[in-house]
Amino acid sequence: MTSMSDISTPQSRAQGFGLSNPILSQTSRQMLDLVNRLHSTGVQVDIDLPQIAVIGSQSAGKSSLIESISGITLPRAAGTCTRCPTECRLSRSTDPWKCTVSLRISDDGKTRTEKFGDDIMDKADVEERIRRAQWAILNPTLRNSRGVRYFLTGDDHGANSELSFSSCFVSLQISGPGVADLSFCDLPGLIAGVGSTGNIGDIDLVKNLVATYIKRPSCIILLTVACETDFQNQGAQEMAKLHDPEGKRTVGVLTKPDRIPTGEEQNWISILRNEKETLENGWYCVKQPSSAEISAGMTWEKARKSEEEFFASTASWSDLDEMYKRYLCARNLVDRLSTILSDLISKRWVPALFDAAADVTSEIRLPEIQDEIEKSIIATRDALQNLPKPPSSDPRNEIASLLHVFVQDLARHINGVPEAGLLQTIRPAQEQFRRAIRVTAPDFQPFERRHAKKKKINKAEFLLSEEGLEDFAIPNETVDSWSDKKSVADVTSIETNSSEDIVPDDAIYIDEVMQRADEARTRELPGSYPFVVQETYIKGIIKKWRTPAHKLCRIVYHILGEYVRQLIWHNLGAFGQGHLAQRVNVHLRDHLKKCMERTEKRIDWLMKLETRPFSLNTHYLADYKDKFLTYYRTAREKDRNPTLMATIEHYNRSSSSSVVHFGRSRAESPPALTGVAKVLASLVEIGFVGVKPEALTKLIEPDGMEPALTIMADVRAYFQVAYKRFADNVPLAIDYELIWGVERNVLDTLNTGLGINGNDGDRICKDFAQENATIAARRNELTRKLERMHLAAQQLLQIGSA
C-alpha cells in the first residue's frame, strides 16, 4: 500500500493548493488576478482572454469536478447545472470567504451583467442561489417582464423552463482564505439524444455553444471523461480533437475511477500514463464523493481526504510509479491547471522577466494585450465615426441644411462632373438618336424601278468625308429600337455600306418621282412643277422623327430618375430611418414627371415647326443641292451612256496622274492628241476656253428625267439641313426642360412638399430625424464595446502602476 504522504503531504495541505499555494509565484497570481479583472469588464466578448473551459458528456462527473475545485456545491436535483454555462472566478484572499453571483445576459445583441442578490457569506447558501440564477437564465420572457429580483424570492417548484439551454451564463466570483487562484467555465454537457419529449435541436445547440468557447486559441480545454463508459462513446473527446487536433491546449481528466468494470483497469491506466489518446499536458484522475455521500453531508475537506485514501488504498492506482502518482487527486490537477493558465498568460502577455544587479525582479509587462486593446479601441472609434450622425437636437435646421447640400450636389451633377457622371451616361442615347434621325434620309435611286434588282447607286463620297463612316454602318437592331416600324427598309439610305445587289424595297426610283411630279401639276407652265412634290417627300420623312425624339426623352427621363434617386440616398439615406429620403424621392419623382410632360410638349412643338420646310441657311442648302444633283446626274449619265462617261473618267485620271518630264529634246514632238483631249483642244481652237470634260455630256440627247433629278436633289439637300437642326434642337430641349428643369426651383418644391416650413414643421422634422433602429442598435453596441475596452485599459494601467 502507498502511504498518504506519497500523494499529498501535510505540508502541501496546510499551504493550500493551486495558485493559493504561497510557494507559487506572486507574479503568476498577479497575472491571473488581472485576467479575472478583465473578465469582470466583459472584454472577453471582444478579445481572446485566457480561460479554462470544462467540457464533457452528460453524467461525466463535471459537476463533481467543479465542486472539488471550487469548494461549493452545485444544484443537482433538476439537472439545471448543465443547462447554461457557469463561470467561476476563484481568488485567494485574507478576507472572509465570499461568493458573488451575477447573470451575464445577452438580449438583442446587447450584453449586460446584473448582480443576482447580495453577497453570500455561507457556502451552504450557494447551491440555492445558483439554482435560482439558472432559473432566471432559462426564462427570458419572465425575466424581462418581472425583473431578476423576482427569481430571488419567487416559487419555482414545478415551474417549466422556457428554454432547455442558453448561452447566457451564471458568473460566480469566489474569494477567501485557501481558495485556489483559478478561473474556469463549466459548459453544458454534450448530449447524444433528447428523448420523445425533447427538442432535437438541443443537440446541435449545445455543440455550437461548446464550440464557441473551445475554438479560441487562448482557451484551455478541461476534458472530462467518465471511466464507467467506453472512451470512444464519449463525444466530448471528439470535439476536443476537432478544435485542438494536436492536443496542446487540452488537459484530460478521468472521473469515477471507482466504477471501472473489473478487468478494464489497465485500459484507463494506459490513458493516465499518456500512452493512449496522448495529450501534451497529460491526463489526470480524480475521485469525487458518491451521491449517497453528498446526501449524507460530506464536507469538501472530507471529500478531498476520502479521495486521497481511495488512490492510496486501491490496487492499480496505488501501484503506479511515483512519476504518475502526481496525476492523481484534484489537488494535483488544480496545481497543474494553475501552472498551465499562468504559462499561457505569460506566453501571450509577458515576453520576458529581466534581471538587474543580480537580483531577479519580476515585473508584469503586457504589450500584446495593450496592443490588442488599443487597436480595438481605434477600430471601434472608427466604426462609430463611420455611422451616420446621431439624431440632432435641432432636426429642423439640420434637415434644411441637408436639403441645401443635396440641391447643391444635384446642381453640380446636372452641370456636369468628370468621368462617369450624368451627362456621360446620357450621351450614348443622344448619339443613337442622331443616327436614328440620320438613317431616315430618303433613298433616291436615279434609275427606273424596272432596274431595281440590277442597278444601285454607290455611296456619296462627300457625305463619307463629312459625317464619317459610322453613319453608314448602323446595326439593324439599333435602327429597329429607335424606329416606329418593324421593317428596317424605311431607314436604309443610299449611303449604306451594304454589299447586296438588291436595293431595299423603300427605295424611291426616278420614274416614281417623275410620275408624282406630273400628277401634281395644275396650272403650271410646261416644264414647271409645283413645290408640293418636294414638300410631300419632306413631310413623309419628318413624320419618322417623332418616335426617336420621344424615345430619347423617355430614356433620359429614366436615366435622370435613377441618377437623382441615387443622389437622394447618397445625401439623405443615412438620415433618421430613411423616411426623409423616401419622401424626397416621392416629391422629386412627381417633379421630374412634370418636367417630362413639359419636355414632351416642347418636342411636339419642334415637330410642328419642322412640318413646313424652311431654312435661311441658303448657302448651305444650295451647296448640298449642287452636290446631290451632280451625284444623281452622274450616276444617271453613267447608266445612259457608259462609254462616254468611262472615257471622261479615264481622261480625268490620266490628267491628274500625268508627270511633266524635263530634259525632253527640242527635236522631240509631243504625242498626238486623241479622244477627249482632242475634242477639248478643238473647242479651244474655235474659242470655247475652259470647257470641262463633264460638259461633253450636254451633247447627249436631253434626259426627260431631269426635273425628277432636281426634285431629288432638293429633298435630299433639305434633309441634310433639317436633320442636323432637329438632331441638335431635340437634345437641347430635353436638356433645358428635363435635365435642367429638375434642378429648377427644386428647393422650393421640396420645402413645400415636405411641409417643413409650415406650422407643423417641427413635428414633421422630428419624425424624419428618428434614427434607424439597426443603426441605433449598432451605435449602442459599439458604445458599450468602447466602454468595455476603456475599462480593460484602465485595469492594465492599474496593474502597471502597482
Side-chain angles (χ1 to χ4, degrees), residues 190-261:
L190 298 173
I191 52 179
V194 293
S196 58
T197 60
N199 182 358
I200 191 68
D202 288 344
I203 297 176
D204 287 335
L205 189 152
V206 173
K207 282 185 178 180
N208 294 334
L209 175 61
V210 171
T212 58
Y213 281 81
I214 66 175
K215 69 181 181 181
R216 298 176 180 176
S218 293
C219 178
I220 299 169
I221 305 171
L222 189 58
L223 173 62
T224 308
V225 176
C227 295
E228 62 179 346
T229 307
D230 184 70
F231 183 90
Q232 300 301 329
N233 292 336
Q234 302 187 47
Q237 56 91 17
E238 293 182 2
M239 282 204 71
K241 280 186 177 180
L242 177 65
H243 295 284
D244 181 26
E246 297 181 2
K248 292 182 178 296
R249 296 186 289 115
T250 304
V251 179
V253 181
L254 304 178
T255 63
K256 305 181 181 180
D258 52 324
R259 299 187 185 181
I260 297 176

Side-chain angles (χ1 to χ4, degrees), residues 500-679:
E500 297 183 14
D501 292 333
I502 301 176
V503 178
D505 291 340
D506 276 6
I508 305 170
Y509 294 90
I510 193 168
D511 53 340
E512 295 171 340
V513 175
M514 196 68 225
Q515 181 182 353
R516 177 174 287 190
D518 286 337
E519 292 174 351
R521 292 182 70 250
T522 56
R523 298 179 183 274
E524 287 80 9
L525 294 174
S528 298
Y529 297 91
F531 180 71
V532 70
V533 181
Q534 287 94 325
E535 188 177 25
T536 302
Y537 280 119
I538 290 170
K539 286 183 176 181
I541 297 168
I542 300 300
K543 285 181 181 178
K544 299 177 182 180
W545 294 355
R546 189 179 190 281
T547 297
H550 279 282
K551 180 165 185 179
L552 175 63
C553 183
R554 290 193 300 272
I555 289 175
V556 173
Y557 170 76
H558 289 298
I559 291 175
L560 182 59
E562 176 60 21
Y563 203 90
V564 170
R565 186 191 68 81
Q566 292 179 8
L567 284 179
I568 290 170
W569 286 101
H570 174 74
N571 286 275
L572 308 174
F575 183 78
Q577 299 184 29
H579 295 159
L580 176 63
Q582 291 172 1
R583 295 303 302 165
V584 168
N585 192 38
V586 168
H587 288 297
L588 279 188
R589 277 207 311 266
D590 182 65
H591 179 59
L592 190 59
K593 186 177 180 182
K594 292 176 181 177
C595 294
M596 168 77 165
E597 292 170 354
R598 289 196 298 270
T599 308
E600 289 181 326
K601 290 180 180 178
R602 181 65 64 184
I603 291 173
D604 289 339
W605 181 76
L606 288 173
M607 285 294 299
K608 290 178 182 178
L609 290 182
E610 295 292 345
T611 54
R612 293 186 179 274
F614 175 82
S615 177
L616 291 178
N617 195 351
T618 54
H619 174 76
Y620 190 60
L621 184 63
D623 181 62
Y624 264 115
K625 180 178 177 179
D626 289 343
K627 289 179 178 179
F628 276 109
L629 187 57
T630 301
Y631 169 61
Y632 291 134
R633 185 179 286 156
T634 300
R636 178 78 179 166
E637 289 169 351
K638 281 183 180 180
D639 181 56
R640 293 180 63 220
N641 197 329
T643 302
L644 174 59
M645 296 306 297
T647 303
I648 291 173
E649 284 186 7
H650 176 72
Y651 172 79
N652 288 334
R653 286 197 299 271
S654 300
S655 299
S656 62
S657 61
S658 62
V659 180
V660 178
H661 296 280
F662 297 95
R664 186 192 300 268
S665 67
R666 295 187 179 185
E668 293 183 46
S669 59
L673 297 176
T674 60
V676 174
K678 184 176 181 179
V679 172

